[in-house]
Amino acid sequence: MSHKILHKVLHDICAQYDNNQHRMMDVLLDVQRCLKCIDGEAMNHIASLLGCTRIEVEGVVSFYSFFSDTPKGNISIYLCDDIIDRQAGLKKNAKAFEDALGICFGQTTPDGEFSLDYTPCIGMSDQAPAAMVNDIILPNLTPESIHLFIQALRAGTAPEDLDGVLGDGNNAHDLLRSQVHNNIQVRGDVLLCEVGEDAGLHKSLSLAPADIIEQIVASDLRGYGGAGFSTGDKWGFATATQDTERYVFCNADEGEPGTFKDRVLLTERPDLLIEGMTIAGRAIGSEYGLIYLRGEYVYLKPWLEHVLEARRQKGVLGKDIGGLKGFDFDIRIQMGAGAYICGEESAMISSCEGLPGEPKTRPPFPTEKGYFGHPTIVNNVETFCHVARIMDRGARWFHAIGTSASSGTKLLSICGDCSKPGVYEVPYGISVQELLEMSGAKDICAVQVGGPSGHLIARNEFNRKICFEDLPTGGSIMVFASTRNILEIVDYFLEFFVDESCGFCTPCRVGNVFLKERIGKIRKGHAVPEDIDYLKELSNTIIKTSRCGLGQTSPNPVLSSLNNFPLVYSALVNENEDGLDTNFNIQDALEESRHLAKHRSYIYDPDFGEG
Amino acid sequence: MSTAKTLTFTIDGKTIQAAPGQTIMQAADEAGFYIPRLCDIEGLRHQGSCRVCTVKVNGRTTSSCTQPAEQDQIVESETEEVLNLRRDLVRMLFHEGNHLCPICEASGNCELQAMAYRLNITQPTKFPYQQPVRSLDASHPDIALDTNRCIRCGRCIRASQDVDGKGVFGYVGRGVHRSVGVNGDNLADTNVDITDKAIAPETCPVGCIIRKGVGFTVPIGEREFDLMIIGADIEGKSDD
Ligand SMILES: Cc1cc2nc3c(=O)[nH]c(=O)nc-3n(C[C@H](O)[C@H](O)[C@H](O)COP(=O)(O)O)c2cc1C
Ligand code: SF4
Ligand code: FES
C-alpha cells in the first residue's frame, strides 16, 4: 500500500473518532480490521493524528492480543485453546487447520489470505472446540468440518455466509445469523423465565433515586462478576461523591475460562440488561453508560446496537426517559481486543480511556475516581439484569430466593465431561453433586468452581454448596472425569495466567512463570519434596504482594490441587536420595552440546556407536 | 511539606506523624524510617509496580509507596514475614533479567544490587534464571540502552514524561513480555538528550541507561553503595 493511501485510510479512521486519543481502542480496532496490521509507520501516523507519541500507540498495540504489528490474513482464524478444548480434541483440529491452510500457528499464508493463531477461552466451552473466524464464531468443530470451511472460504464464501446450523433463539435473528447455541438447560425464576417488558424501569421512575438504592440494598444483591460485593453499597459510594459527572459501566468482558453465561444474557436478555443499567443511571445520577464487550463477542455488537436503537425509539433510553423530564441516559459499546485483565474493573476503565489494560492504583476506588477521574460503578451483565427484576418484583421476593448470605438465583456455565453442557439458572445454595446430576456428569473426579482462580474440588467435597459462604463463583463450573490429568489442568491454568498477566507488577509477571516451571518439573517426574514447599512459599509471595486480583488469586490452582489432590503430587515426587540437584537433567544439558558438537557422548549415550 | 501533620500511626511500634494525603512511605521517610523501594523515587509520581515496598497495614499487605497514611494504622515493615516477601521480589527481579554484577558498569551504584545486600541475599537463589535474550541499543551518540538489566521500574518513563515533557520511553508488551521501549525505531530516532532527567544517573536504578564515555570514572569499591548501605541516608534523618 502506498504511503498516500495508508495515510488517507488512517486519517479517515481517526476522524471518525474526532482524532480523540482516548478512543484509541476503536481507532486501532478499525485499523487492524482494515489493514490487517498496525506497523511502525501506521503507529507513527496514528500518533501524529491523535496528538500523542508513537510509543503510547505502540504500548496499546502490543498489549492486546487482537492487534498485530505484522500482517494477519484477510481472514484471521483464532482457534480457542483452553483446557476444555484441549480435552475435546484440540490437537487434531489444530492439525486440520494447519493441513488445510498449509501454515503453522502464528503464521499468515503467503498470499495474505489466512492467518492462524491460538487464543484462550472464547466463551464457547459448552460447544467446544470452537474458533473465531474474523468476526464470527464456528462452534463444535471437527477436522472434517474444518476442511469444508476452509474450502468454502478459499472459494470466496464470506465467513458469515459459511454453511452450518444456525443457533437457537436470537442467535438465528437476522442481525446475528450465528451458529452459536444458547444451550439453556435450566430456566430459573428470575432471569431466564418470562420477564415483563421494562416493568422494573417503570416502577423505578416513580421512585426517588435514593429509594432505588435502598431497595437494592434491602435485596442484598451481590455482584455476579465474582467478588460478590454489595451492589447497593457500591452505588451508595458513587452517590456520596461531590462529583456529579458519574458513569455506569457494564462488565461484559466475560474472560474467565469456562464462563459463557453473560453471552447468553446478551443474546436473550439484552433489554433486561439495558433496563438494569438505565435504572442504575437513575439511581446514581448518571447520564452515561458503557458496555465493555469482549473482542471475542464482536458478533453480538450489531445485535446490541440494534436493541439500543430500538430502546431509543421507544423512549426508554436517551432523553427524558419514560417521559420523565431531565432523566437522560445513553449507552455506548466499547469493544475489547483480547485481554483477560480488562475484566478487572480498573483495567477496564484504563482500556476505555485508550490505554493498555492495566489496573489502576487503589485507593482511590472507581466509585470515587474512575473513568477520567469521575465516579464510576462497574457491574457485571448478570448483576444489572437482576437489578431490573428486583425493581419489578421487589426486594423481599428476591431475598427469599437462595441462602441467607447469597440471595437470588445464579447463572452457571457448566462444561467439560458432562452430557448436557450449557447454562443453568439455579438458586444459590445448590450443591455441586446436584449440578453434576443435572448436567449428566458421570464418573467425575474433580470440579473447578469459579474458573482458574477458583477452587478445584475433589469427590469428598461434592456436597459443598454454590454460594458466597461456601463456594463462590462468577459462573464457571468445569467438570473433569476420572480419566483426566489433574496436573495438566493446573499447568494449563498457570499458562493462562502467565499469558494474561498485565506484567505491571513483579510478583505476577515473574512469579507465575516460576510456578509454571515448577509444575512442569513435577509433571516430568523430577520433583523432590522441597519443590512442594517451594510452590507453597512462592504462591504465598505472589498472593500477598500482587497488585490486583489476578496475581492475588493466580496461585490458587496450585494451592487447591495441593490441598485436595495430595496423592497426585506424592505419586510424582521422590526423595532426593543422592542429594544431586534435581533441577539439572543431564540428558537435557547434553542435548544442547550434542547439537553444538555434532556428536554424542561416550559416557551418557549408552548405545553410542550403534547408530 | 506545608500541610500540618495531624495523623498519627505506627510502624513496627514506632510512632509516625503524617499529613493528610501523604503515603505511608513519605511519612516514614520524613520520620527517618526507611522502607525499601525500587520503582518509587522522590520527584516522580508513584507507580506501585515493583512491590518491594510491601508492608502490612492492619494485617493486610499493600504497597507503602501508594497507600495513604491513616490515623491509627498499624504498619509492619521489618518483620521476618515482610522481609521474606521483599527478598522473593528482589530475587525475582534478579532472575528475570541478566544481572552479571562482577562485569556490570553499574556495580556499586546499582539499587537492585544494594537492595540484595540490605536484605542479606548474597548467594544464588532458589529461582530459575530466565536468561532472556535482549538486544542492545547503541544507536545514539551519547547514550546506550541495555535492557538486559531492566527491572521494569518505569522511572525513566515517568522522568521523561513528567520532568522532561518528552515521552522518550514507554512500556510495550504484556506480561513477561512487558518491557521498556523507545519512541521510535531506536534511541537515535528519538529526541532524547544527555541532559534529560530520564538519562540522569539517579533515574535508572540499575545499569540500563548508559552514558557513553563516562564509564568507570569512579572505581568499583568507591561507589555509592560500596560506601553506604542503601537507605542509610533516610535512616540518618530525623523528623523535626
Ligand atoms: C483478573 C480479573 C478478571 C475479571 N474479569 C471479570 C469479568 O470478565 N467479568 C466481570 O463481570 N467481572 C470480572 N472481574 C471482577 C471485576 O473486577 C468487578 O469486580 C466486577 O465487574 C464488578 O461487578 P459486580 O459487582 O456486578 O460483580 C474480574 C476481576 C479480576 C481481578
Ligand atoms: S497482579 Fe498481575 S495483572 Fe494485576 S497488576 Fe500485577 S501484573 Fe498486572
Ligand atoms: S516502591 Fe512501592 S511498588 Fe515499587
Side-chain angles (χ1 to χ4, degrees):
Chain A
M1 179 179 297
S2 80
H3 297 293
K4 228 170 135 187
I5 301 179
L6 172 74
H7 287 190
K8 165 97 176 82
V9 169
L10 297 176
H11 178 273
D12 291 350
I13 289 173
C14 291
Q16 258 186 57
Y17 301 101
D18 302 326
N19 294 319
N20 181 350
Q21 180 188 349
H22 305 306
R23 299 298 294 276
M24 184 80 82
M25 289 296 283
D26 302 281
V27 167
L28 297 181
L29 281 161
D30 285 4
V31 174
Q32 179 72 42
R33 175 184 304 265
C34 212
L35 305 176
K36 312 295 167 197
C37 170
I38 312 174
D39 62 9
E41 188 188 348
M43 290 191 247
N44 256 327
H45 203 66
I46 293 168
S48 68
L49 287 163
L50 301 184
C52 61
T53 58
R54 162 173 156 175
I55 190 78
E56 287 175 280
V57 180
E58 194 178 347
V60 181
V61 170
S62 58
F63 191 88
Y64 297 90
S65 303
F66 295 155
F67 299 142
S68 171
D69 61 358
T70 53
K72 292 286 165 202
N74 287 327
I75 295 176
S76 65
I77 299 171
Y78 284 95
L79 180 61
C80 175
D81 174 16
D82 69 16
I83 188 68
I84 302 297
D85 288 66
R86 284 184 190 186
Q87 295 177 343
L90 177 76
K91 271 200 186 129
K92 57 182 200 294
N93 286 297
K95 186 166 180 313
F97 272 115
E98 290 184 331
D99 290 349
L101 293 171
I103 51 172
C104 299
F105 278 82
Q107 294 181 334
T108 301
T109 52
D111 62 1
E113 260 326 288
F114 295 91
S115 56
L116 186 58
D117 292 276
Y118 286 117
T119 192
C121 185
I122 60 173
M124 303 289 155
S125 305
D126 57 334
Q127 38 212 302
M132 273 180 85
V133 179
N134 283 356
D135 287 354
I136 63 126
I137 305 281
L138 297 176
N140 297 317
L141 290 169
T142 61
E144 295 72 40
S145 69
I146 289 168
H147 279 283
L148 290 176
F149 284 136
I150 299 295
Q151 244 174 39
L153 290 168
R154 276 238 161 86
T157 310
E160 49 279 15
D161 297 330
L162 285 172
D163 258 352
V165 189
L166 285 191
D168 52 336
N170 289 331
N171 289 300
H173 189 281
D174 268 350
L175 283 165
L176 277 169
R177 298 193 51 75
S178 168
Q179 300 188 23
V180 173
H181 287 259
N182 290 326
N183 292 330
I184 297 174
Q185 305 288 359
V186 173
R187 290 176 186 271
D189 296 332
V190 183
L191 298 186
L192 297 177
C193 55
E194 288 298 318
V195 299
E197 199 178 307
D198 288 317
L201 177 62
H202 287 301
K203 288 184 185 164
S204 304
L205 290 177
S206 59
L207 294 177
D211 295 335
I212 300 177
I213 298 186
E214 203 181 293
Q215 271 219 43
I216 299 298
V217 170
S219 74
D220 268 342
L221 173 67
R222 297 175 69 167
Y224 284 82
F229 195 81
S230 156
T231 306
D233 287 351
K234 186 183 280 189
W235 294 12
F237 294 147
T239 316
T241 56
Q242 297 295 313
D243 188 348
T244 53
E245 184 177 335
R246 301 181 185 139
Y247 291 87
V248 174
F249 275 27
C250 170
N251 192 339
D253 198 50
E254 189 157 62
E256 182 180 76
T259 319
F260 42 82
K261 49 100 186 166
D262 290 342
R263 181 195 81 221
V264 171
L265 288 174
L266 292 163
T267 309
E268 297 302 325
R269 293 286 179 270
D271 276 293
L272 198 62
L273 160 67
I274 299 164
E275 181 189 347
M277 289 180 71
T278 311
I279 293 169
R282 169 88 180 135
I284 71 158
S286 160
E287 291 180 16
Y288 316 97
L290 186 147
I291 299 173
Y292 191 92
L293 186 64
R294 70 183 306 211
E296 292 80 348
Y297 291 172
V298 64
Y299 75 99
L300 289 169
K301 191 174 177 229
W303 164 241
L304 294 172
E305 298 278 16
H306 159 79
V307 175
L308 287 171
E309 191 47 39
R311 293 182 67 82
R312 285 183 199 110
Q313 299 300 328
K314 260 176 44 187
V316 285
L317 189 70
K319 281 224 152 301
D320 300 329
I321 291 172
L324 191 62
K325 265 255 153 302
F327 177 22
D328 301 341
F329 182 78
D330 213 328
I331 295 176
R332 128 175 130 77
I333 298 173
Q334 174 67 60
M335 291 309 304
Y340 164 66
I341 187 60
C342 289
E344 195 283 333
E345 57 184 9
S346 65
M348 165 177 303
I349 292 171
S350 296
S351 183
C352 294
E353 293 170 343
L355 301 170
E358 280 162 7
K360 293 180 186 289
T361 298
R362 272 169 294 202
F365 289 89
T367 45
E368 192 195 329
K369 284 192 163 54
Y371 188 52
F372 290 116
H374 299 293
T376 305
I377 57 158
V378 180
N379 281 116
N380 175 257
V381 173
E382 192 179 350
T383 310
F384 282 120
C385 291
H386 280 288
V387 162
R389 296 292 287 149
I390 291 167
M391 294 315 293
D392 177 22
R393 300 293 305 273
R396 205 177 286 158
W397 166 79
F398 184 79
H399 203 274
I401 308 169
T403 70
S404 58
S406 318
S407 306
T409 60
K410 175 83 193 93
L411 261 59
L412 299 174
S413 319
I414 305 185
C415 62
D417 295 312
C418 59
S419 59
K420 287 187 280 179
V423 171
Y424 293 72
E425 184 186 2
V426 291
Y428 273 122
I430 195 164
S431 74
V432 173
Q433 185 58 44
E434 287 171 275
L435 292 176
L436 294 179
E437 282 159 20
M438 278 178 169
S439 60
K442 296 207 180 70
D443 189 26
I444 297 303
C445 77
V447 179
Q448 181 77 28
V449 181
S453 57
H455 303 265
L456 182 65
I457 62 167
R459 246 179 226 139
N460 59 335
E461 295 192 296
F462 287 177
N463 59 345
R464 290 182 64 180
K465 294 179 170 20
I466 304 294
C467 54
F468 292 107
E469 54 274 42
D470 191 358
L471 278 175
T473 170
S476 168
I477 308 275
M478 295 184 241
V479 299
F480 298 111
S482 309
T483 49
R484 303 299 184 188
N485 177 343
I486 295 294
L487 286 181
E488 183 192 353
I489 298 169
V490 173
D491 200 359
Y492 168 74
F493 288 160
L494 293 174
E495 181 180 331
F496 174 75
F497 288 128
V498 167
D499 289 345
E500 297 298 331
S501 160
C502 84
F504 188 97
C505 70
T506 310
C508 174
R509 182 182 69 239
V510 188
N512 285 317
V513 175
F514 293 168
L515 280 182
K516 176 161 167 40
E517 181 262 356
R518 201 52 52 105
I519 289 291
K521 180 183 174 193
I522 293 176
R523 286 187 72 187
K524 280 197 217 139
H526 296 163
V528 291
E530 291 78 52
D531 287 314
I532 302 296
D533 301 331
Y534 170 97
L535 283 173
K536 288 183 182 164
E537 284 163 22
L538 176 56
S539 295
N540 178 57
T541 300
I542 299 172
I543 290 170
K544 294 238 173 82
T545 60
S546 285
R547 181 164 178 259
C548 86
L550 194 151
Q552 287 159 6
T553 58
S554 62
N556 283 354
V558 175
L559 296 180
S560 86
S561 58
L562 274 170
N563 231 342
N564 299 332
F565 297 88
L567 293 180
V568 169
Y569 285 87
S570 52
L572 287 162
V573 171
N574 297 302
E575 280 299 334
N576 181 13
E577 272 150 12
D578 57 12
L580 293 176
D581 180 357
T582 53
N583 269 323
F584 180 75
N585 179 300
I586 183 67
Q587 292 301 336
D588 286 349
L590 277 176
E591 206 39 52
E592 202 177 334
S593 0
R594 284 185 193 115
H595 254 76
L596 288 171
K598 297 201 176 65
H599 72 74
R600 300 190 300 179
S601 157
Y602 287 100
I603 302 169
Y604 289 101
D605 290 336
D607 51 354
F608 187 87
E610 281 170 23
Chain B
M1 180 72 52
S2 53
T3 327
K5 295 198 169 175
T6 52
L7 303 174
T8 314
F9 66 100
T10 63
I11 305 183
D12 295 343
K14 184 178 165 165
T15 304
I16 309 271
Q17 313 279 335
Q22 273 191 317
T23 64
I24 292 174
M25 183 186 282
Q26 283 168 330
D29 276 1
E30 287 175 18
F33 192 107
Y34 176 74
I35 302 173
R37 72 207 61 183
L38 287 171
C39 70
D40 203 78
I41 181 170
E42 209 179 328
L44 298 182
R45 85 189 117 87
H46 311 300
Q47 176 164 291
S49 64
C50 75
R51 316 306 284 174
V52 170
C53 69
T54 294
V55 292
K56 260 186 149 175
V57 178
N58 299 335
R60 292 197 54 181
T61 44
T62 183
S63 54
S64 59
C65 69
T66 59
Q67 190 68 28
E70 274 172 39
Q71 181 66 26
D72 296 333
Q73 258 168 350
I74 299 171
V75 179
E76 296 164 57
S77 178
E78 297 285 310
T79 63
E80 210 37 44
E81 183 194 354
V82 173
L83 287 172
N84 277 332
L85 295 175
R86 291 180 191 151
R87 284 184 187 116
D88 268 1
L89 294 166
V90 168
R91 289 180 185 125
M92 285 180 193
L93 291 171
F94 266 106
H95 287 254
E96 182 189 27
N98 297 314
H99 297 278
L100 306 165
C101 298
I103 56 154
C104 179
E105 203 288 311
S107 186
N109 289 324
C110 172
E111 292 178 34
L112 182 66
Q113 183 191 41
M115 198 60 74
Y117 281 125
R118 184 178 170 109
L119 294 171
N120 271 326
I121 305 170
T122 50
Q123 32 175 311
T125 79
K126 56 189 177 177
F127 295 136
Y129 285 100
Q130 299 302 291
Q131 299 175 331
V133 178
R134 299 181 189 153
S135 59
L136 181 82
D137 179 351
S139 61
H140 195 277
D142 305 325
I143 307 153
L145 195 62
D146 182 355
T147 53
N148 280 292
R149 303 157 187 159
C150 178
I151 58 166
R152 283 94 175 99
C153 70
R155 279 158 49 166
C156 58
I157 300 176
R158 283 169 284 155
S160 183
Q161 283 175 353
D162 301 351
V163 182
D164 304 327
K166 284 187 177 177
V168 167
F169 299 103
Y171 283 118
V172 291
R174 177 172 93 195
V176 269
H177 304 294
R178 180 183 173 94
S179 60
V180 171
V182 300
N183 188 36
D185 293 337
N186 53 35
L187 257 191
D189 193 28
T190 70
N191 59 345
V192 73
D193 192 274
I194 189 79
T195 59
D196 284 355
K197 178 72 176 171
I199 306 303
E202 68 274 16
T203 298
C204 178
V206 289
C208 233
I209 299 177
I210 302 159
R211 299 142 59 85
K212 291 186 182 173
V214 296
F216 295 100
T217 34
V218 180
I220 288 183
E222 294 173 22
R223 298 178 171 190
E224 186 175 3
F225 304 120
D226 294 331
L227 307 175
M228 170 197 98
I229 191 163
I230 191 168
D233 48 342
I234 286 174
E235 284 161 336
K237 263 193 214 167
S238 69
D239 192 21
D240 47 24

Short mmCIF file of all heavy atoms in Angstrom, two decimals, chain A residues 55-86:
data_model
loop_
_atom_site.label_atom_id
_atom_site.label_comp_id
_atom_site.label_asym_id
_atom_site.label_seq_id
_atom_site.Cartn_x
_atom_site.Cartn_y
_atom_site.Cartn_z
N ILE A 55 5.17 5.80 20.94
CA ILE A 55 5.35 4.76 21.96
C ILE A 55 4.05 4.53 22.74
O ILE A 55 3.77 3.43 23.21
CB ILE A 55 6.54 5.08 22.90
CG1 ILE A 55 6.90 3.90 23.81
CG2 ILE A 55 6.30 6.30 23.74
CD1 ILE A 55 7.66 2.82 23.16
N GLU A 56 3.23 5.57 22.86
CA GLU A 56 1.92 5.37 23.51
C GLU A 56 1.03 4.47 22.65
O GLU A 56 0.32 3.61 23.17
CB GLU A 56 1.23 6.72 23.74
CG GLU A 56 1.85 7.53 24.86
CD GLU A 56 1.22 8.90 25.00
OE1 GLU A 56 1.58 9.82 24.22
OE2 GLU A 56 0.35 9.07 25.86
N VAL A 57 1.07 4.70 21.33
CA VAL A 57 0.29 3.85 20.43
C VAL A 57 0.83 2.43 20.49
O VAL A 57 0.08 1.46 20.63
CB VAL A 57 0.35 4.39 18.98
CG1 VAL A 57 -0.48 3.50 18.05
CG2 VAL A 57 -0.14 5.83 18.91
N GLU A 58 2.14 2.33 20.45
CA GLU A 58 2.77 1.01 20.48
C GLU A 58 2.45 0.26 21.78
O GLU A 58 2.25 -0.96 21.78
CB GLU A 58 4.29 1.15 20.31
CG GLU A 58 4.98 -0.16 20.00
CD GLU A 58 6.49 0.00 19.79
OE1 GLU A 58 6.96 1.15 19.63
OE2 GLU A 58 7.18 -1.03 19.78
N GLY A 59 2.40 1.01 22.87
CA GLY A 59 2.07 0.40 24.16
C GLY A 59 0.70 -0.28 24.12
O GLY A 59 0.51 -1.36 24.68
N VAL A 60 -0.24 0.35 23.43
CA VAL A 60 -1.58 -0.22 23.34
C VAL A 60 -1.60 -1.37 22.32
O VAL A 60 -2.13 -2.46 22.60
CB VAL A 60 -2.62 0.86 22.95
CG1 VAL A 60 -4.02 0.27 22.89
CG2 VAL A 60 -2.58 2.02 23.94
N VAL A 61 -0.98 -1.15 21.17
CA VAL A 61 -0.95 -2.19 20.13
C VAL A 61 -0.36 -3.48 20.69
O VAL A 61 -0.88 -4.58 20.49
CB VAL A 61 -0.14 -1.73 18.89
CG1 VAL A 61 0.09 -2.89 17.92
CG2 VAL A 61 -0.85 -0.58 18.19
N SER A 62 0.74 -3.34 21.44
CA SER A 62 1.45 -4.53 21.90
C SER A 62 0.80 -5.17 23.12
O SER A 62 1.20 -6.25 23.55
CB SER A 62 2.92 -4.19 22.20
OG SER A 62 2.98 -3.17 23.18
N PHE A 63 -0.20 -4.51 23.69
CA PHE A 63 -0.84 -5.06 24.90
C PHE A 63 -1.95 -6.05 24.57
O PHE A 63 -2.13 -7.04 25.27
CB PHE A 63 -1.40 -3.92 25.75
CG PHE A 63 -1.85 -4.35 27.11
CD1 PHE A 63 -0.96 -4.36 28.18
CD2 PHE A 63 -3.16 -4.78 27.34
CE1 PHE A 63 -1.36 -4.78 29.44
CE2 PHE A 63 -3.57 -5.21 28.60
CZ PHE A 63 -2.67 -5.21 29.65
N TYR A 64 -2.69 -5.76 23.52
CA TYR A 64 -3.90 -6.55 23.23
C TYR A 64 -3.62 -7.61 22.17
O TYR A 64 -3.00 -7.32 21.14
CB TYR A 64 -5.03 -5.63 22.77
CG TYR A 64 -5.45 -4.64 23.82
CD1 TYR A 64 -4.85 -3.38 23.93
CD2 TYR A 64 -6.45 -4.95 24.73
CE1 TYR A 64 -5.24 -2.48 24.91
CE2 TYR A 64 -6.86 -4.05 25.71
CZ TYR A 64 -6.24 -2.81 25.79
OH TYR A 64 -6.62 -1.91 26.76
N SER A 65 -4.14 -8.82 22.41
CA SER A 65 -3.84 -9.95 21.52
C SER A 65 -4.36 -9.76 20.10
O SER A 65 -3.81 -10.32 19.17
CB SER A 65 -4.46 -11.24 22.06
OG SER A 65 -3.99 -11.48 23.34
N PHE A 66 -5.45 -9.00 19.94
CA PHE A 66 -6.03 -8.91 18.60
C PHE A 66 -5.44 -7.78 17.75
O PHE A 66 -5.93 -7.49 16.66
CB PHE A 66 -7.57 -8.78 18.66
CG PHE A 66 -8.23 -10.01 19.23
CD1 PHE A 66 -9.48 -9.94 19.83
CD2 PHE A 66 -7.60 -11.26 19.17
CE1 PHE A 66 -10.09 -11.07 20.36
CE2 PHE A 66 -8.20 -12.39 19.70
CZ PHE A 66 -9.45 -12.30 20.30
N PHE A 67 -4.43 -7.10 18.27
CA PHE A 67 -3.69 -6.14 17.45
C PHE A 67 -2.37 -6.80 17.06
O PHE A 67 -1.79 -7.56 17.84
CB PHE A 67 -3.38 -4.84 18.20
CG PHE A 67 -4.61 -4.10 18.65
CD1 PHE A 67 -4.64 -3.45 19.87
CD2 PHE A 67 -5.74 -4.02 17.84
CE1 PHE A 67 -5.78 -2.76 20.30
CE2 PHE A 67 -6.87 -3.33 18.24
CZ PHE A 67 -6.89 -2.70 19.48
N SER A 68 -1.88 -6.47 15.87
CA SER A 68 -0.66 -7.11 15.43
C SER A 68 0.19 -6.14 14.63
O SER A 68 -0.33 -5.40 13.80
CB SER A 68 -1.02 -8.31 14.57
OG SER A 68 0.14 -8.82 13.97
N ASP A 69 1.50 -6.15 14.90
CA ASP A 69 2.36 -5.25 14.12
C ASP A 69 2.96 -5.97 12.91
O ASP A 69 3.76 -5.41 12.18
CB ASP A 69 3.45 -4.61 15.00
CG ASP A 69 4.37 -5.63 15.63
OD1 ASP A 69 4.15 -6.84 15.42
OD2 ASP A 69 5.30 -5.23 16.35
N THR A 70 2.57 -7.24 12.73
CA THR A 70 2.91 -7.94 11.48
C THR A 70 1.59 -8.36 10.83
O THR A 70 0.59 -8.52 11.52
CB THR A 70 3.77 -9.19 11.76
OG1 THR A 70 3.07 -9.99 12.73
CG2 THR A 70 5.14 -8.83 12.31
N PRO A 71 1.58 -8.53 9.48
CA PRO A 71 0.30 -8.73 8.79
C PRO A 71 -0.43 -10.01 9.19
O PRO A 71 0.16 -11.09 9.21
CB PRO A 71 0.70 -8.78 7.31
CG PRO A 71 2.04 -8.13 7.25
CD PRO A 71 2.71 -8.42 8.55
N LYS A 72 -1.70 -9.87 9.52
CA LYS A 72 -2.60 -11.01 9.70
C LYS A 72 -3.32 -11.21 8.36
O LYS A 72 -3.28 -10.34 7.48
CB LYS A 72 -3.62 -10.72 10.80
CG LYS A 72 -3.01 -10.64 12.17
CD LYS A 72 -2.62 -12.01 12.69
CE LYS A 72 -1.70 -11.93 13.89
NZ LYS A 72 -0.91 -13.16 14.09
N GLY A 73 -3.98 -12.34 8.21
CA GLY A 73 -4.66 -12.62 6.95
C GLY A 73 -5.93 -11.81 6.78
O GLY A 73 -6.46 -11.26 7.74
N ASN A 74 -6.40 -11.74 5.52
CA ASN A 74 -7.71 -11.14 5.30
C ASN A 74 -8.75 -11.89 6.11
O ASN A 74 -9.72 -11.30 6.57
CB ASN A 74 -8.08 -11.20 3.81
CG ASN A 74 -7.27 -10.20 3.02
OD1 ASN A 74 -6.93 -9.13 3.54
ND2 ASN A 74 -6.92 -10.55 1.79
N ILE A 75 -8.52 -13.18 6.23
CA ILE A 75 -9.35 -13.96 7.14
C ILE A 75 -8.44 -14.42 8.27
O ILE A 75 -7.49 -15.17 8.05
CB ILE A 75 -9.97 -15.16 6.42
CG1 ILE A 75 -10.94 -14.63 5.36
CG2 ILE A 75 -10.67 -16.09 7.41
CD1 ILE A 75 -11.56 -15.69 4.50
N SER A 76 -8.71 -13.91 9.47
CA SER A 76 -7.85 -14.31 10.58
C SER A 76 -8.62 -15.32 11.42
O SER A 76 -9.77 -15.11 11.78
CB SER A 76 -7.40 -13.11 11.40
OG SER A 76 -8.48 -12.52 12.02
N ILE A 77 -7.94 -16.41 11.68
CA ILE A 77 -8.57 -17.51 12.42
C ILE A 77 -7.90 -17.62 13.78
O ILE A 77 -6.68 -17.67 13.89
CB ILE A 77 -8.41 -18.83 11.65
CG1 ILE A 77 -9.11 -18.71 10.29
CG2 ILE A 77 -8.96 -20.00 12.47
CD1 ILE A 77 -8.84 -19.88 9.36
N TYR A 78 -8.72 -17.59 14.81
CA TYR A 78 -8.22 -17.79 16.17
C TYR A 78 -8.89 -19.03 16.73
O TYR A 78 -10.09 -19.03 16.98
CB TYR A 78 -8.55 -16.58 17.05
CG TYR A 78 -7.65 -15.39 16.79
CD1 TYR A 78 -8.04 -14.38 15.91
CD2 TYR A 78 -6.42 -15.28 17.42
CE1 TYR A 78 -7.21 -13.29 15.66
CE2 TYR A 78 -5.58 -14.20 17.18
CZ TYR A 78 -5.98 -13.21 16.31
OH TYR A 78 -5.15 -12.13 16.08
N LEU A 79 -8.10 -20.08 16.89
CA LEU A 79 -8.64 -21.32 17.44
C LEU A 79 -8.57 -21.25 18.95
O LEU A 79 -7.54 -20.89 19.52
CB LEU A 79 -7.83 -22.52 16.91
CG LEU A 79 -8.27 -23.90 17.39
CD1 LEU A 79 -9.70 -24.22 16.97
CD2 LEU A 79 -7.32 -24.97 16.86
N CYS A 80 -9.69 -21.56 19.58
CA CYS A 80 -9.76 -21.47 21.04
C CYS A 80 -8.91 -22.57 21.66
O CYS A 80 -9.09 -23.75 21.39
CB CYS A 80 -11.21 -21.61 21.49
SG CYS A 80 -11.36 -21.64 23.27
N ASP A 81 -7.96 -22.15 22.50
CA ASP A 81 -7.09 -23.10 23.19
C ASP A 81 -7.31 -22.97 24.69
O ASP A 81 -6.68 -22.15 25.34
CB ASP A 81 -5.62 -22.81 22.83
CG ASP A 81 -4.66 -23.68 23.63
OD1 ASP A 81 -5.12 -24.69 24.20
OD2 ASP A 81 -3.46 -23.34 23.67
N ASP A 82 -8.26 -23.73 25.23
CA ASP A 82 -8.37 -23.77 26.69
C ASP A 82 -8.43 -25.24 27.10
O ASP A 82 -8.38 -26.13 26.25
CB ASP A 82 -9.55 -22.94 27.21
CG ASP A 82 -10.89 -23.55 26.84
OD1 ASP A 82 -10.93 -24.73 26.47
OD2 ASP A 82 -11.89 -22.82 26.93
N ILE A 83 -8.53 -25.46 28.40
CA ILE A 83 -8.42 -26.85 28.86
C ILE A 83 -9.57 -27.70 28.33
O ILE A 83 -9.39 -28.87 27.97
CB ILE A 83 -8.30 -26.91 30.41
CG1 ILE A 83 -7.99 -28.33 30.89
CG2 ILE A 83 -9.54 -26.38 31.10
CD1 ILE A 83 -6.62 -28.82 30.51
N ILE A 84 -10.77 -27.10 28.22
CA ILE A 84 -11.93 -27.88 27.73
C ILE A 84 -11.71 -28.25 26.26
O ILE A 84 -11.96 -29.39 25.85
CB ILE A 84 -13.23 -27.07 27.92
CG1 ILE A 84 -13.43 -26.68 29.38
CG2 ILE A 84 -14.43 -27.84 27.37
CD1 ILE A 84 -13.61 -27.84 30.34
N ASP A 85 -11.23 -27.28 25.47
CA ASP A 85 -10.96 -27.58 24.06
C ASP A 85 -9.84 -28.60 23.92
O ASP A 85 -9.89 -29.47 23.05
CB ASP A 85 -10.59 -26.29 23.31
CG ASP A 85 -11.79 -25.40 23.11
OD1 ASP A 85 -12.33 -24.90 24.12
OD2 ASP A 85 -12.22 -25.22 21.97
N ARG A 86 -8.83 -28.48 24.78
CA ARG A 86 -7.74 -29.46 24.71
C ARG A 86 -8.28 -30.85 24.95
O ARG A 86 -7.91 -31.81 24.26
CB ARG A 86 -6.66 -29.14 25.75
CG ARG A 86 -5.80 -27.98 25.34
CD ARG A 86 -4.66 -27.72 26.32
NE ARG A 86 -4.04 -26.44 25.98
CZ ARG A 86 -2.96 -25.96 26.56
NH1 ARG A 86 -2.34 -26.65 27.50
NH2 ARG A 86 -2.48 -24.79 26.21
#
